[in-house]
Amino acid sequence: MPMIDVYATAGTFADKHRLAADLAAAVMAVEQVPDIPMFRQNTAAFVHELPAGDLSNVDGGSNYVRVQVLTNAGALDRGKQLAVVERLTHIVADAAGDPSLFARTWVLLTEAPDGGWGLEGHANTNAELVAAARAQIAGLQAGQGAGG
């Protein structure tokens, strides 16, 4: 259930909502989590627009995008890390309509400590999240069986 934050100069993206949805869906797909409401409703991206001049590298360059992905501890092995970085970088460049942005998109992967993922006012451990997901899957399967 990652949270994704995108920081870019205002005007970089024409459709920030579509960008946010595409980024969230991509990370969910790479993580290979079940497509259940718990994950769909708690995987989100936030696009933060910065005024001109609020972003600079050491040389004064400001045409960059930073994407920070916060995941549960252990959610991304090395192959998934590489896949997330590549997919998100492509999505950002495509959303900006600027293929050269591929070279100027920084992706930072971070992990929440076990017990550091809060939902509904409770700091959940990974084991608690897995148990909640399994319970939701079982409930959905029971509901499908009763309805069909």
Side-chain angles (χ1 to χ4, degrees):
M1 297 182 307
M3 292 290 139
I4 303 142
D5 287 283
V6 179
Y7 299 89
T9 302
T12 301
F13 306 110
D15 188 347
K16 297 180 294 279
H17 187 263
R18 176 82 263 145
L19 170 63
D22 289 348
L23 293 170
V27 175
M28 239 182 94
V30 171
E31 280 191 339
Q32 299 174 330
V33 296
D35 189 5
I36 58 175
M38 176 181 166
F39 293 123
R40 294 186 66 78
Q41 295 167 1
N42 293 295
T43 300
F46 304 84
V47 180
H48 309 276
E49 291 191 317
L50 305 171
D54 281 11
L55 171 67
S56 181
N57 66 11
V58 173
D59 294 331
S62 61
N63 192 11
Y64 291 87
V65 173
R66 179 183 140 203
V67 180
Q68 182 169 359
V69 181
L70 176 64
T71 63
N72 292 342
L76 300 175
D77 62 19
R78 183 62 180 148
K80 289 178 180 179
Q81 291 170 349
L82 294 168
V84 164
V85 170
E86 182 178 9
R87 284 193 194 183
L88 299 192
T89 302
H90 278 290
I91 290 169
V92 164
D94 290 347
D98 181 0
S100 72
L101 195 55
F102 187 84
R104 296 185 318 281
T105 298
W106 305 321
V107 179
L108 173 64
L109 304 176
T110 55
E111 292 185 339
D114 195 30
W117 203 265
L119 291 175
E120 299 176 3
H122 177 73
N124 296 277
T125 65
N126 286 341
E128 290 170 331
L129 291 171
V130 168
R134 286 183 178 152
Q136 188 168 86
I137 290 168
L140 290 169
Q141 289 172 340
Q144 290 172 352

